Amino acid sequence: MKLLKLFLVVFLQIYSTSATPSVLIVGAGPAGIAAATRLLSNGHTNVRLLEAENRVGGRVDSVFFGEAYVDLGAESCHGTKDNAVYELVKDFDVLRHTETPTKIYHSSRRTIDEEFSQELVEIIASIYSPDGHRDEVEGKSVGQYCMDKFNSTIFERYQERPEKLEVAKSSTELFHHIVLGFEGAFSWFEPSAKNDYTECDGDLELNWNGFGYKTVLEALTRKFPNPSDQLPFDQTVLLNKEVVKVLWNESSSQNSVMVICSDHSSFTADHLIWTPSIGVLKERHQKIFVPRLPKEKREAIKEIGFGAVMKVAMYFKRRWWTPETNFTGFHFIWSDHDANLLRKEFPEGPLKEGRSWLTELFSVVPAPNNPHVLVAWLTGDMIPEIESMANDTMIQGLEFALKKFLGHEYNITKPDAIIRTYWHTNAHFRGSYSFQTVQARKNKITAEVELAVPLLNKDGRPIVQFAGEASHPYFYSTVHGAIETGYREADRLINLYK
Ligand SMILES: Cc1cc2nc3c(=O)[nH]c(=O)nc-3n(C[C@H](O)[C@H](O)[C@H](O)COP(=O)(O)OP(=O)(O)OC[C@H]3O[C@@H](n4cnc5c(N)ncnc54)[C@H](O)[C@@H]3O)c2cc1C
């Protein structure tokens, strides 16, 4: 009897190994990690993750700086209801609410009192939210929509108070930069005002209290909260494996895909899940996929929007700002006059059409639970050039701008150290997060939905599947969206082999 049992166990093990397909996952960001861990926890052990960088996480990049982790990529969990990120960590008391800045400073140092600052921020928030279910504006850009509404609102409200009207007018660029922070575009005339993005209910700005967004990736692999529960995830990942070719064979049903990496190594599998950003696809899909991708997919890749935002975390040994518990940071408005003067006052660094790179700086906020670190936010069409600046020039420029806006109230010092982002420059990302353009909405199914359609073999089985934030129909641009797409593609295989 014992012998029979042993035979049965060995038989089942052999049978189950041969019954699980081989799966290659390209990219170990949230989507890739979600797909891998979902497969692993459903008995699919023949999984390999190929990651081009020397770390996992993708656009989740938590770096220890100052006295805690700073997030160079994703930093907020947006909402709590039906949010995959929140679901993974809700029992562990790690998330904290983030207050957004309400205090606006003007480059001329004219006083914008607390109440007026608050009013302007509220006007902006009442006109724009990334959730763009605005039927009346199909075909319009976010920029057109916001400018029209903003101009009429401030005119109506401040027409009898010319001083306020002038400040409100010059806050249009601040509004533009805030919108770009949400959309990730280079200009607010790129994203569509009507879009499918959907906000989860609940607190939309939750931070990781200095423990970093990486916590959610550790929750996916089950390293968090208890490292001894970790799935065999580390063993499935190969770092520094940049996939340069995906050869997919429609006429085969086994080992139908082969990838070649930049170090000339190659791998074959029954299925491949592709997760790199839409920026990577835009730049290289023609070189990577053999045979080339179908026309609908190529068009979708072209139509989905992608730009970049930039963050610079600044460490100050001596904290010059007020250590109040309710300190939420600063927003900045450049007057046209001061923006023009910048070319002379701080001529170093990139210029575009006469505009200094410093006009892309619009906000400085405290890093969560990190008392000596402030994070500068820059958005706009100069980000690619700003990313190529030398650190020294950037530090001098930031010190200059901080003194310009705040020097009359604070004894500003130079940052003692900075760390900064290169999302656009890095060939493994080429940007920060996707947005929906007017073009992406022109067909019955949107470009995001089209991107998610798998490439099938002659038997109708998926060979190459597409995950990643840009392939989510309504949570694109987010970590919770990326995780759902990883689950989606893993489940496609789990169901196929049930
Ligand atoms: C500055 C910034 C702020 C953000 N803020 C937020 C936020 O507050 N909240 C939020 O929800 N989201 C935010 N996001 C967006 C969020 O980070 C992304 O939506 C999410 O990380 C995307 O995950 P992904 O797995 O789809 O792609 P990625 O994270 O890009 O993962 C793809 C992986 O593929 C790898 N790769 C690329 N090319 C190759 C190749 N040829 N071969 C092998 N591997 C390759 C990459 O190195 C990467 O690791 C932010 C992003 C940025 C950049």
Side-chain angles (χ1 to χ4, degrees):
M1 190 62 183
K2 262 190 181 164
L3 206 67
L4 187 69
K5 253 190 180 167
L6 187 71
F7 173 75
L8 211 67
V9 168
V10 172
F11 171 79
L12 278 176
Q13 269 177 356
I14 294 169
Y15 179 77
S16 64
T17 321
S18 59
T20 53
S22 50
V23 184
L24 280 175
I25 300 172
V26 183
I33 297 175
T37 50
R38 184 78 143 213
L39 286 166
L40 288 174
S41 41
N42 279 275
H44 285 257
T45 48
N46 200 351
V47 175
R48 194 174 294 217
L49 253 149
L50 303 175
E51 168 54 51
E53 293 275 307
N54 60 6
R55 61 172 184 89
V56 300
R59 282 170 275 169
V60 169
D61 189 10
S62 311
V63 176
F64 200 86
F65 182 69
E67 284 126 283
Y69 281 93
V70 167
D71 278 308
L72 295 178
E75 61 183 54
S76 303
C77 168
H78 299 304
T80 55
K81 180 139 192 292
D82 297 330
N83 180 314
V85 170
Y86 187 75
E87 279 304 312
L88 281 156
V89 298
K90 66 180 181 199
D91 297 332
F92 309 116
D93 187 34
V94 280
L95 294 168
R96 297 286 178 277
H97 174 67
T98 314
E99 290 290 345
T100 43
T102 48
K103 188 90 182 85
I104 301 179
Y105 284 79
H106 199 273
S107 55
S108 69
R109 292 191 176 171
R110 72 169 69 189
T111 310
I112 305 179
D113 62 54
E114 204 82 53
E115 205 183 317
F116 185 34
S117 285
Q118 182 91 36
E119 239 173 71
L120 287 173
V121 171
E122 277 167 15
I123 293 174
I124 288 173
S126 71
I127 295 173
Y128 173 79
S129 82
D131 206 326
H133 303 167
R134 314 168 179 103
D135 282 331
E136 77 283 9
V137 289
E138 187 73 88
K140 257 192 183 184
S141 70
V142 166
Q144 284 168 293
Y145 167 77
C146 289
M147 276 181 75
D148 290 352
K149 278 229 157 181
F150 190 64
N151 287 338
S152 57
T153 310
I154 59 174
F155 186 73
E156 207 173 283
R157 199 175 289 195
Y158 303 119
Q159 57 181 319
E160 310 292 336
R161 287 166 289 173
E163 265 223 2
K164 284 199 164 173
L165 185 60
E166 196 198 326
V167 173
K169 275 186 187 159
S170 58
S171 64
T172 313
E173 262 312 292
L174 170 63
F175 188 7
H176 185 186
H177 281 102
I178 291 173
V179 169
L180 296 183
F182 282 103
E183 301 281 346
F186 287 133
S187 155
W188 65 355
F189 296 113
E190 292 170 349
S192 172
K194 163 112 172 118
N195 64 51
D196 291 336
Y197 181 79
T198 303
E199 270 174 349
C200 300
D201 285 343
D203 194 335
L204 290 169
E205 296 297 335
L206 289 164
N207 70 70
W208 297 85
N209 198 23
F211 291 94
Y213 216 127
K214 69 175 179 57
T215 311
V216 82
L217 304 181
E218 293 168 353
L220 276 171
T221 64
R222 303 207 199 134
K223 184 176 175 188
F224 175 83
N226 188 354
S228 62
D229 292 341
Q230 192 174 4
L231 291 165
F233 171 77
D234 295 348
Q235 299 88 306
T236 67
V237 186
L238 293 178
L239 298 176
N240 302 308
K241 287 282 174 200
E242 184 193 33
V243 171
V244 291
K245 283 270 180 254
V246 173
L247 311 163
W248 55 288
N249 183 351
E250 285 164 287
S251 50
S252 163
S253 52
Q254 268 193 334
N255 275 346
S256 37
V257 63
M258 177 180 180
V259 304
I260 301 175
C261 298
S262 54
D263 62 3
H264 306 297
S265 55
S266 61
F267 303 84
T268 54
D270 300 322
H271 305 276
L272 177 136
I273 303 177
W274 174 270
T275 75
S277 75
I278 191 76
V280 172
L281 280 175
K282 277 178 189 291
E283 188 177 70
R284 268 169 292 160
H285 76 85
Q286 272 143 330
K287 287 197 179 128
I288 292 177
F289 290 91
V290 182
R292 68 179 179 160
L293 296 173
K295 183 165 168 274
E296 297 76 25
K297 187 82 74 193
R298 297 200 307 266
E299 273 181 9
I301 291 169
K302 202 154 89 191
E303 284 157 0
I304 293 173
F306 205 53
V309 303
M310 183 167 190
K311 294 194 247 184
V312 185
M314 303 176 281
Y315 176 79
F316 298 90
K317 266 188 212 144
R318 187 183 67 76
R319 186 163 54 175
W320 48 260
W321 58 98
T322 330
E324 303 152 354
T325 44
N326 61 354
F327 169 66
T328 57
F330 317 100
H331 275 324
F332 301 135
I333 297 178
W334 291 97
S335 71
D336 287 345
H337 174 77
D338 291 322
N340 283 331
L341 260 186
L342 260 178
R343 271 176 297 180
K344 288 197 189 118
E345 287 184 343
F346 192 83
E348 290 80 16
L351 282 177
K352 203 169 211 165
E353 290 149 17
R355 256 181 321 126
S356 157
W357 66 278
L358 274 172
T359 58
E360 308 285 48
L361 169 72
F362 69 99
S363 193
V364 168
V365 293
N369 207 4
N370 207 347
H372 290 260
V373 176
L374 294 178
V375 181
W377 271 83
L378 299 97
T379 54
D381 62 355
M382 266 193 267
I383 297 304
E385 288 86 356
I386 299 174
E387 283 189 1
S388 66
M389 280 174 68
N391 258 8
D392 282 353
T393 318
M394 177 156 287
I395 290 176
Q396 282 163 20
L398 290 171
E399 184 194 8
F400 172 88
L402 289 171
K403 282 187 170 153
K404 177 110 191 152
F405 285 104
L406 308 168
H408 57 303
E409 280 188 22
Y410 298 95
N411 185 9
I412 310 283
T413 56
K414 192 188 274 215
D416 294 290
I418 61 168
I419 45 168
R420 48 191 278 211
T421 58
Y422 298 90
W423 295 110
H424 184 267
T425 307
N426 189 326
H428 302 143
F429 301 97
R430 287 287 183 244
S432 43
Y433 29 92
S434 69
F435 56 90
Q436 198 168 56
T437 61
V438 171
Q439 277 301 305
R441 302 178 50 75
K442 72 174 195 300
N443 293 331
K444 239 198 211 130
I445 62 167
T446 63
E448 289 78 13
V449 175
E450 183 63 53
L451 181 64
V453 176
L455 308 178
L456 307 177
N457 72 5
K458 61 176 181 2
D459 308 325
R461 291 155 76 88
I463 313 173
V464 178
Q465 296 161 243
F466 293 84
E469 55 89 5
S471 74
H472 199 289
Y474 49 87
F475 287 158
Y476 50 81
S477 81
T478 65
V479 178
H480 56 278
I483 289 176
E484 281 200 0
T485 66
Y487 289 161
R488 178 188 69 210
E489 297 311 320
D491 288 345
R492 202 188 290 276
L493 294 176
I494 293 164
N495 291 332
L496 188 69
Y497 287 89
K498 240 178 198 165

